[in-house]
Amino acid sequence: MRFVFLGPPGVGKGTQAARFSERHKLPHIATGDLLRVAMKEETSVGLKAKSFIENGRLVPDEVIIALMEDRIQAPDAKSGYILDGFPRTIAQAKALSEILTRNGVALDCVFYFSLGDETLMERIVGRRTCPDCHAIYHVSYHPPEKEGLCHCGGILFQRKDDVPETVAERLAVYKNETSPLITYYKNENILTEINADQSIDRIAENLQKMV
Ligand code: ADP
Ligand code: AMP
C-alpha cells in the first residue's frame, strides 16, 4: 500500500502518519525528518537544504527528487509506505509518478488534510519535536507526560522554522506551490479529503475507516 499524506504545514500529517505507520506496518517517510537529519549530519543534501528550510522556502526539486528516489526504492519500502511532506510541487508529483511507473506500482490513495490558517498557526507554534525518535507533541493539545521530555527520553525542542514569521512564509509557499496538487490528484481520482479540525483520535478513526 502506497499513500501520500498531503496538506498544509501543521495540519497533523506527521502525527497521523506515525500512528498509521504503526498500525499498518508501513514505513513513514517524512521529507522534513530526512532533511533535518541531513542538516544535523552536515551531509551535502543537508548543507544545500539548510537556508531554504530556515527561511520557510521549499528545497529545490532536484535535491528532493534525488533524495526520495533513493528512499522509496530502499528494501524496507518494497511493499509500501506513507509519504509525508512529499510531493510538494507539481514537478515532484510528476517525478514520483515516473518512479512508480518504472517500478510497475501506483499510489493507492492521497489523503488531503484540510484546516484553516489560524488553527494551523496555533498548532505549529506550539509544536515540540523529539530530536531522537522524531515524535511530535504540542504544548497544549498533545503534551508529553513529563514536560519537555519525549517518551523515549529525548529532550524536546522547538523547530527553528516553527516561529510565527517563518510559519507565515511557509503557509504562503504552501498555497502557491503545494495546493495545486489537490486538483492534480483529484483529476487522478485518488484524492480523499480529511477534515483535520477534529481531535487526533477522531481523525485516526476516520482514516481507519477509509482503508
Ligand atoms: P504536519 O506534519 O502536518 O506539519 P504535525 O503532525 O507535526 O503536522 O502537527 C502539528 C502540531 O499540531 C503538533 O504540535 C501536533 O501535536 C499538533 N496536532 C496534530 N494533530 C492535531 C489535532 N488533531 N488537534 C490538535 N493538535 C494537533
Ligand atoms: P516539514 O517537516 O514537512 O514541515 O518540512 C520542513 C521544511 O523542509 C519545509 O518547510 C521545506 O523547507 C523542506 N521540505 C520538506 N519536504 C519538502 C519537499 N517535498 N520539497 C521541498 N522542500 C521540502
Side-chain angles (χ1 to χ4, degrees), residues 85-116:
F86 174 85
R88 253 170 154 111
T89 62
I90 295 282
Q92 292 179 17
K94 288 185 173 161
L96 173 61
S97 166
E98 277 168 26
I99 300 166
L100 293 171
T101 305
R102 230 185 289 138
N103 290 314
V105 294
L107 291 175
D108 290 87
C109 185
V110 174
F111 288 113
Y112 160 52
F113 296 78
S114 59
L115 190 65

PDB file of all heavy atoms in Angstrom, residues 85-116:
ATOM      1  N   GLY A  85       4.801  14.892   3.413  1.00  0.00           N
ATOM      2  CA  GLY A  85       5.566  16.091   3.032  1.00  0.00           C
ATOM      3  C   GLY A  85       6.186  15.991   1.651  1.00  0.00           C
ATOM      4  O   GLY A  85       6.964  16.858   1.246  1.00  0.00           O
ATOM      5  N   PHE A  86       5.860  14.977   0.927  1.00  0.00           N
ATOM      6  CA  PHE A  86       6.313  14.788  -0.457  1.00  0.00           C
ATOM      7  C   PHE A  86       5.202  14.073  -1.215  1.00  0.00           C
ATOM      8  O   PHE A  86       4.653  13.088  -0.664  1.00  0.00           O
ATOM      9  CB  PHE A  86       7.593  13.948  -0.506  1.00  0.00           C
ATOM     10  CG  PHE A  86       8.042  13.601  -1.914  1.00  0.00           C
ATOM     11  CD1 PHE A  86       8.821  14.488  -2.641  1.00  0.00           C
ATOM     12  CD2 PHE A  86       7.666  12.399  -2.507  1.00  0.00           C
ATOM     13  CE1 PHE A  86       9.230  14.170  -3.937  1.00  0.00           C
ATOM     14  CE2 PHE A  86       8.074  12.081  -3.801  1.00  0.00           C
ATOM     15  CZ  PHE A  86       8.857  12.972  -4.509  1.00  0.00           C
ATOM     16  N   PRO A  87       4.847  14.480  -2.413  1.00  0.00           N
ATOM     17  CA  PRO A  87       5.367  15.625  -3.153  1.00  0.00           C
ATOM     18  C   PRO A  87       4.791  16.955  -2.653  1.00  0.00           C
ATOM     19  O   PRO A  87       3.731  16.993  -2.054  1.00  0.00           O
ATOM     20  CB  PRO A  87       4.904  15.337  -4.583  1.00  0.00           C
ATOM     21  CG  PRO A  87       3.673  14.514  -4.439  1.00  0.00           C
ATOM     22  CD  PRO A  87       3.870  13.692  -3.209  1.00  0.00           C
ATOM     23  N   ARG A  88       5.515  18.042  -2.939  1.00  0.00           N
ATOM     24  CA  ARG A  88       5.083  19.379  -2.523  1.00  0.00           C
ATOM     25  C   ARG A  88       5.004  20.332  -3.713  1.00  0.00           C
ATOM     26  O   ARG A  88       4.671  21.511  -3.535  1.00  0.00           O
ATOM     27  CB  ARG A  88       6.098  19.941  -1.521  1.00  0.00           C
ATOM     28  CG  ARG A  88       5.582  19.971  -0.071  1.00  0.00           C
ATOM     29  CD  ARG A  88       6.777  20.309   0.789  1.00  0.00           C
ATOM     30  NE  ARG A  88       6.455  20.947   2.018  1.00  0.00           N
ATOM     31  CZ  ARG A  88       6.602  20.353   3.213  1.00  0.00           C
ATOM     32  NH1 ARG A  88       6.975  19.110   3.312  1.00  0.00           N
ATOM     33  NH2 ARG A  88       6.362  21.031   4.308  1.00  0.00           N
ATOM     34  N   THR A  89       5.344  19.862  -4.895  1.00  0.00           N
ATOM     35  CA  THR A  89       5.197  20.682  -6.117  1.00  0.00           C
ATOM     36  C   THR A  89       4.702  19.742  -7.222  1.00  0.00           C
ATOM     37  O   THR A  89       4.835  18.512  -7.107  1.00  0.00           O
ATOM     38  CB  THR A  89       6.549  21.286  -6.581  1.00  0.00           C
ATOM     39  OG1 THR A  89       7.437  20.200  -6.905  1.00  0.00           O
ATOM     40  CG2 THR A  89       7.201  22.158  -5.533  1.00  0.00           C
ATOM     41  N   ILE A  90       4.170  20.347  -8.292  1.00  0.00           N
ATOM     42  CA  ILE A  90       3.712  19.534  -9.423  1.00  0.00           C
ATOM     43  C   ILE A  90       4.903  18.769 -10.019  1.00  0.00           C
ATOM     44  O   ILE A  90       4.777  17.593 -10.375  1.00  0.00           O
ATOM     45  CB  ILE A  90       3.050  20.439 -10.497  1.00  0.00           C
ATOM     46  CG1 ILE A  90       1.776  21.087  -9.932  1.00  0.00           C
ATOM     47  CG2 ILE A  90       2.783  19.666 -11.785  1.00  0.00           C
ATOM     48  CD1 ILE A  90       0.543  20.213  -9.857  1.00  0.00           C
ATOM     49  N   ALA A  91       6.071  19.417 -10.092  1.00  0.00           N
ATOM     50  CA  ALA A  91       7.256  18.732 -10.654  1.00  0.00           C
ATOM     51  C   ALA A  91       7.595  17.494  -9.817  1.00  0.00           C
ATOM     52  O   ALA A  91       7.946  16.437 -10.361  1.00  0.00           O
ATOM     53  CB  ALA A  91       8.444  19.687 -10.698  1.00  0.00           C
ATOM     54  N   GLN A  92       7.486  17.599  -8.493  1.00  0.00           N
ATOM     55  CA  GLN A  92       7.760  16.434  -7.622  1.00  0.00           C
ATOM     56  C   GLN A  92       6.704  15.346  -7.835  1.00  0.00           C
ATOM     57  O   GLN A  92       7.031  14.150  -7.850  1.00  0.00           O
ATOM     58  CB  GLN A  92       7.776  16.853  -6.153  1.00  0.00           C
ATOM     59  CG  GLN A  92       8.943  17.759  -5.778  1.00  0.00           C
ATOM     60  CD  GLN A  92       8.924  18.176  -4.309  1.00  0.00           C
ATOM     61  OE1 GLN A  92       8.261  17.587  -3.474  1.00  0.00           O
ATOM     62  NE2 GLN A  92       9.683  19.222  -3.994  1.00  0.00           N
ATOM     63  N   ALA A  93       5.445  15.747  -8.020  1.00  0.00           N
ATOM     64  CA  ALA A  93       4.376  14.753  -8.232  1.00  0.00           C
ATOM     65  C   ALA A  93       4.623  14.001  -9.544  1.00  0.00           C
ATOM     66  O   ALA A  93       4.432  12.779  -9.618  1.00  0.00           O
ATOM     67  CB  ALA A  93       3.018  15.440  -8.256  1.00  0.00           C
ATOM     68  N   LYS A  94       5.065  14.732 -10.558  1.00  0.00           N
ATOM     69  CA  LYS A  94       5.332  14.086 -11.855  1.00  0.00           C
ATOM     70  C   LYS A  94       6.530  13.146 -11.739  1.00  0.00           C
ATOM     71  O   LYS A  94       6.523  12.050 -12.303  1.00  0.00           O
ATOM     72  CB  LYS A  94       5.576  15.137 -12.938  1.00  0.00           C
ATOM     73  CG  LYS A  94       4.277  15.852 -13.317  1.00  0.00           C
ATOM     74  CD  LYS A  94       4.468  16.814 -14.456  1.00  0.00           C
ATOM     75  CE  LYS A  94       3.113  17.369 -14.902  1.00  0.00           C
ATOM     76  NZ  LYS A  94       3.233  18.605 -15.668  1.00  0.00           N
ATOM     77  N   ALA A  95       7.544  13.568 -11.000  1.00  0.00           N
ATOM     78  CA  ALA A  95       8.726  12.708 -10.813  1.00  0.00           C
ATOM     79  C   ALA A  95       8.333  11.446 -10.048  1.00  0.00           C
ATOM     80  O   ALA A  95       8.765  10.338 -10.392  1.00  0.00           O
ATOM     81  CB  ALA A  95       9.822  13.468 -10.063  1.00  0.00           C
ATOM     82  N   LEU A  96       7.490  11.600  -9.029  1.00  0.00           N
ATOM     83  CA  LEU A  96       7.039  10.436  -8.255  1.00  0.00           C
ATOM     84  C   LEU A  96       6.292   9.474  -9.170  1.00  0.00           C
ATOM     85  O   LEU A  96       6.526   8.258  -9.144  1.00  0.00           O
ATOM     86  CB  LEU A  96       6.134  10.896  -7.103  1.00  0.00           C
ATOM     87  CG  LEU A  96       5.440   9.784  -6.312  1.00  0.00           C
ATOM     88  CD1 LEU A  96       6.453   8.861  -5.634  1.00  0.00           C
ATOM     89  CD2 LEU A  96       4.478  10.378  -5.261  1.00  0.00           C
ATOM     90  N   SER A  97       5.422  10.023  -9.988  1.00  0.00           N
ATOM     91  CA  SER A  97       4.631   9.195 -10.895  1.00  0.00           C
ATOM     92  C   SER A  97       5.550   8.394 -11.835  1.00  0.00           C
ATOM     93  O   SER A  97       5.314   7.205 -12.081  1.00  0.00           O
ATOM     94  CB  SER A  97       3.680  10.118 -11.657  1.00  0.00           C
ATOM     95  OG  SER A  97       3.144   9.464 -12.726  1.00  0.00           O
ATOM     96  N   GLU A  98       6.602   9.049 -12.321  1.00  0.00           N
ATOM     97  CA  GLU A  98       7.553   8.346 -13.213  1.00  0.00           C
ATOM     98  C   GLU A  98       8.267   7.207 -12.487  1.00  0.00           C
ATOM     99  O   GLU A  98       8.441   6.120 -13.035  1.00  0.00           O
ATOM    100  CB  GLU A  98       8.599   9.317 -13.758  1.00  0.00           C
ATOM    101  CG  GLU A  98       8.094  10.093 -14.969  1.00  0.00           C
ATOM    102  CD  GLU A  98       9.004  11.260 -15.330  1.00  0.00           C
ATOM    103  OE1 GLU A  98      10.218  11.197 -15.013  1.00  0.00           O
ATOM    104  OE2 GLU A  98       8.498  12.237 -15.910  1.00  0.00           O
ATOM    105  N   ILE A  99       8.680   7.466 -11.251  1.00  0.00           N
ATOM    106  CA  ILE A  99       9.379   6.416 -10.474  1.00  0.00           C
ATOM    107  C   ILE A  99       8.434   5.235 -10.236  1.00  0.00           C
ATOM    108  O   ILE A  99       8.813   4.068 -10.411  1.00  0.00           O
ATOM    109  CB  ILE A  99       9.887   6.969  -9.113  1.00  0.00           C
ATOM    110  CG1 ILE A  99      10.873   8.118  -9.321  1.00  0.00           C
ATOM    111  CG2 ILE A  99      10.535   5.859  -8.276  1.00  0.00           C
ATOM    112  CD1 ILE A  99      11.173   8.937  -8.065  1.00  0.00           C
ATOM    113  N   LEU A 100       7.180   5.542  -9.881  1.00  0.00           N
ATOM    114  CA  LEU A 100       6.208   4.474  -9.617  1.00  0.00           C
ATOM    115  C   LEU A 100       5.969   3.656 -10.883  1.00  0.00           C
ATOM    116  O   LEU A 100       5.970   2.421 -10.852  1.00  0.00           O
ATOM    117  CB  LEU A 100       4.890   5.076  -9.117  1.00  0.00           C
ATOM    118  CG  LEU A 100       4.946   5.755  -7.739  1.00  0.00           C
ATOM    119  CD1 LEU A 100       3.658   6.512  -7.449  1.00  0.00           C
ATOM    120  CD2 LEU A 100       5.195   4.732  -6.647  1.00  0.00           C
ATOM    121  N   THR A 101       5.782   4.340 -11.999  1.00  0.00           N
ATOM    122  CA  THR A 101       5.523   3.645 -13.273  1.00  0.00           C
ATOM    123  C   THR A 101       6.695   2.736 -13.623  1.00  0.00           C
ATOM    124  O   THR A 101       6.511   1.595 -14.030  1.00  0.00           O
ATOM    125  CB  THR A 101       5.291   4.683 -14.396  1.00  0.00           C
ATOM    126  OG1 THR A 101       4.240   5.541 -13.974  1.00  0.00           O
ATOM    127  CG2 THR A 101       4.908   4.019 -15.711  1.00  0.00           C
ATOM    128  N   ARG A 102       7.910   3.269 -13.453  1.00  0.00           N
ATOM    129  CA  ARG A 102       9.116   2.486 -13.750  1.00  0.00           C
ATOM    130  C   ARG A 102       9.155   1.206 -12.914  1.00  0.00           C
ATOM    131  O   ARG A 102       9.629   0.166 -13.361  1.00  0.00           O
ATOM    132  CB  ARG A 102      10.350   3.331 -13.422  1.00  0.00           C
ATOM    133  CG  ARG A 102      11.359   3.374 -14.554  1.00  0.00           C
ATOM    134  CD  ARG A 102      12.610   4.129 -14.130  1.00  0.00           C
ATOM    135  NE  ARG A 102      12.390   5.555 -13.983  1.00  0.00           N
ATOM    136  CZ  ARG A 102      12.875   6.294 -12.979  1.00  0.00           C
ATOM    137  NH1 ARG A 102      13.607   5.755 -12.024  1.00  0.00           N
ATOM    138  NH2 ARG A 102      12.630   7.579 -12.919  1.00  0.00           N
ATOM    139  N   ASN A 103       8.630   1.295 -11.675  1.00  0.00           N
ATOM    140  CA  ASN A 103       8.633   0.132 -10.783  1.00  0.00           C
ATOM    141  C   ASN A 103       7.362  -0.708 -10.908  1.00  0.00           C
ATOM    142  O   ASN A 103       7.177  -1.669 -10.152  1.00  0.00           O
ATOM    143  CB  ASN A 103       8.819   0.580  -9.328  1.00  0.00           C
ATOM    144  CG  ASN A 103      10.231   1.106  -9.084  1.00  0.00           C
ATOM    145  OD1 ASN A 103      11.214   0.497  -9.503  1.00  0.00           O
ATOM    146  ND2 ASN A 103      10.341   2.249  -8.447  1.00  0.00           N
ATOM    147  N   GLY A 104       6.471  -0.318 -11.815  1.00  0.00           N
ATOM    148  CA  GLY A 104       5.236  -1.081 -12.049  1.00  0.00           C
ATOM    149  C   GLY A 104       4.264  -1.040 -10.885  1.00  0.00           C
ATOM    150  O   GLY A 104       3.497  -1.984 -10.666  1.00  0.00           O
ATOM    151  N   VAL A 105       4.255   0.074 -10.129  1.00  0.00           N
ATOM    152  CA  VAL A 105       3.329   0.201  -8.999  1.00  0.00           C
ATOM    153  C   VAL A 105       2.598   1.548  -9.089  1.00  0.00           C
ATOM    154  O   VAL A 105       2.890   2.354  -9.978  1.00  0.00           O
ATOM    155  CB  VAL A 105       4.068   0.069  -7.640  1.00  0.00           C
ATOM    156  CG1 VAL A 105       4.626  -1.320  -7.445  1.00  0.00           C
ATOM    157  CG2 VAL A 105       5.162   1.118  -7.516  1.00  0.00           C
ATOM    158  N   ALA A 106       1.649   1.760  -8.172  1.00  0.00           N
ATOM    159  CA  ALA A 106       0.888   3.021  -8.205  1.00  0.00           C
ATOM    160  C   ALA A 106       0.514   3.432  -6.784  1.00  0.00           C
ATOM    161  O   ALA A 106       0.569   2.613  -5.858  1.00  0.00           O
ATOM    162  CB  ALA A 106      -0.380   2.827  -9.030  1.00  0.00           C
ATOM    163  N   LEU A 107       0.102   4.699  -6.628  1.00  0.00           N
ATOM    164  CA  LEU A 107      -0.380   5.152  -5.322  1.00  0.00           C
ATOM    165  C   LEU A 107      -1.769   4.571  -5.085  1.00  0.00           C
ATOM    166  O   LEU A 107      -2.566   4.467  -6.024  1.00  0.00           O
ATOM    167  CB  LEU A 107      -0.479   6.685  -5.289  1.00  0.00           C
ATOM    168  CG  LEU A 107       0.826   7.477  -5.318  1.00  0.00           C
ATOM    169  CD1 LEU A 107       0.523   8.976  -5.405  1.00  0.00           C
ATOM    170  CD2 LEU A 107       1.680   7.177  -4.084  1.00  0.00           C
ATOM    171  N   ASP A 108      -2.066   4.202  -3.840  1.00  0.00           N
ATOM    172  CA  ASP A 108      -3.423   3.724  -3.519  1.00  0.00           C
ATOM    173  C   ASP A 108      -4.341   4.900  -3.221  1.00  0.00           C
ATOM    174  O   ASP A 108      -5.489   4.916  -3.640  1.00  0.00           O
ATOM    175  CB  ASP A 108      -3.370   2.794  -2.303  1.00  0.00           C
ATOM    176  CG  ASP A 108      -2.696   1.494  -2.657  1.00  0.00           C
ATOM    177  OD1 ASP A 108      -1.442   1.419  -2.576  1.00  0.00           O
ATOM    178  OD2 ASP A 108      -3.408   0.581  -3.062  1.00  0.00           O
ATOM    179  N   CYS A 109      -3.809   5.869  -2.468  1.00  0.00           N
ATOM    180  CA  CYS A 109      -4.677   6.989  -2.076  1.00  0.00           C
ATOM    181  C   CYS A 109      -3.835   8.181  -1.631  1.00  0.00           C
ATOM    182  O   CYS A 109      -2.764   8.016  -1.055  1.00  0.00           O
ATOM    183  CB  CYS A 109      -5.563   6.537  -0.915  1.00  0.00           C
ATOM    184  SG  CYS A 109      -6.780   7.753  -0.434  1.00  0.00           S
ATOM    185  N   VAL A 110      -4.337   9.381  -1.936  1.00  0.00           N
ATOM    186  CA  VAL A 110      -3.748  10.612  -1.401  1.00  0.00           C
ATOM    187  C   VAL A 110      -4.745  11.164  -0.395  1.00  0.00           C
ATOM    188  O   VAL A 110      -5.879  11.496  -0.757  1.00  0.00           O
ATOM    189  CB  VAL A 110      -3.488  11.639  -2.528  1.00  0.00           C
ATOM    190  CG1 VAL A 110      -3.008  12.971  -1.951  1.00  0.00           C
ATOM    191  CG2 VAL A 110      -2.479  11.099  -3.529  1.00  0.00           C
ATOM    192  N   PHE A 111      -4.372  11.213   0.883  1.00  0.00           N
ATOM    193  CA  PHE A 111      -5.243  11.794   1.901  1.00  0.00           C
ATOM    194  C   PHE A 111      -4.884  13.271   2.017  1.00  0.00           C
ATOM    195  O   PHE A 111      -3.743  13.615   2.333  1.00  0.00           O
ATOM    196  CB  PHE A 111      -5.045  11.111   3.256  1.00  0.00           C
ATOM    197  CG  PHE A 111      -5.618   9.719   3.299  1.00  0.00           C
ATOM    198  CD1 PHE A 111      -4.786   8.615   3.419  1.00  0.00           C
ATOM    199  CD2 PHE A 111      -6.988   9.511   3.214  1.00  0.00           C
ATOM    200  CE1 PHE A 111      -5.310   7.334   3.460  1.00  0.00           C
ATOM    201  CE2 PHE A 111      -7.526   8.234   3.247  1.00  0.00           C
ATOM    202  CZ  PHE A 111      -6.687   7.144   3.368  1.00  0.00           C
ATOM    203  N   TYR A 112      -5.875  14.111   1.753  1.00  0.00           N
ATOM    204  CA  TYR A 112      -5.666  15.555   1.842  1.00  0.00           C
ATOM    205  C   TYR A 112      -6.295  16.063   3.140  1.00  0.00           C
ATOM    206  O   TYR A 112      -7.508  16.002   3.322  1.00  0.00           O
ATOM    207  CB  TYR A 112      -6.266  16.250   0.615  1.00  0.00           C
ATOM    208  CG  TYR A 112      -6.538  17.721   0.822  1.00  0.00           C
ATOM    209  CD1 TYR A 112      -5.541  18.568   1.306  1.00  0.00           C
ATOM    210  CD2 TYR A 112      -7.790  18.280   0.543  1.00  0.00           C
ATOM    211  CE1 TYR A 112      -5.790  19.914   1.529  1.00  0.00           C
ATOM    212  CE2 TYR A 112      -8.040  19.626   0.752  1.00  0.00           C
ATOM    213  CZ  TYR A 112      -7.037  20.425   1.253  1.00  0.00           C
ATOM    214  OH  TYR A 112      -7.281  21.766   1.482  1.00  0.00           O
ATOM    215  N   PHE A 113      -5.450  16.540   4.056  1.00  0.00           N
ATOM    216  CA  PHE A 113      -5.905  17.038   5.355  1.00  0.00           C
ATOM    217  C   PHE A 113      -6.161  18.538   5.251  1.00  0.00           C
ATOM    218  O   PHE A 113      -5.257  19.288   4.875  1.00  0.00           O
ATOM    219  CB  PHE A 113      -4.829  16.778   6.425  1.00  0.00           C
ATOM    220  CG  PHE A 113      -4.560  15.318   6.671  1.00  0.00           C
ATOM    221  CD1 PHE A 113      -3.785  14.580   5.794  1.00  0.00           C
ATOM    222  CD2 PHE A 113      -5.091  14.676   7.778  1.00  0.00           C
ATOM    223  CE1 PHE A 113      -3.533  13.231   6.009  1.00  0.00           C
ATOM    224  CE2 PHE A 113      -4.853  13.331   8.013  1.00  0.00           C
ATOM    225  CZ  PHE A 113      -4.077  12.603   7.127  1.00  0.00           C
ATOM    226  N   SER A 114      -7.395  18.968   5.585  1.00  0.00           N
ATOM    227  CA  SER A 114      -7.717  20.388   5.437  1.00  0.00           C
ATOM    228  C   SER A 114      -7.987  21.048   6.796  1.00  0.00           C
ATOM    229  O   SER A 114      -8.567  20.428   7.698  1.00  0.00           O
ATOM    230  CB  SER A 114      -8.934  20.549   4.525  1.00  0.00           C
ATOM    231  OG  SER A 114     -10.035  19.865   5.061  1.00  0.00           O
ATOM    232  N   LEU A 115      -7.560  22.305   6.910  1.00  0.00           N
ATOM    233  CA  LEU A 115      -7.709  23.068   8.165  1.00  0.00           C
ATOM    234  C   LEU A 115      -7.457  24.556   7.879  1.00  0.00           C
ATOM    235  O   LEU A 115      -6.649  24.891   7.014  1.00  0.00           O
ATOM    236  CB  LEU A 115      -6.662  22.550   9.182  1.00  0.00           C
ATOM    237  CG  LEU A 115      -6.764  23.009  10.618  1.00  0.00           C
ATOM    238  CD1 LEU A 115      -8.049  22.494  11.274  1.00  0.00           C
ATOM    239  CD2 LEU A 115      -5.566  22.504  11.438  1.00  0.00           C
ATOM    240  N   GLY A 116      -8.136  25.433   8.644  1.00  0.00           N
ATOM    241  CA  GLY A 116      -7.965  26.884   8.456  1.00  0.00           C
ATOM    242  C   GLY A 116      -6.620  27.394   8.961  1.00  0.00           C
ATOM    243  O   GLY A 116      -6.029  26.799   9.857  1.00  0.00           O
TER     244      GLY A 116
END
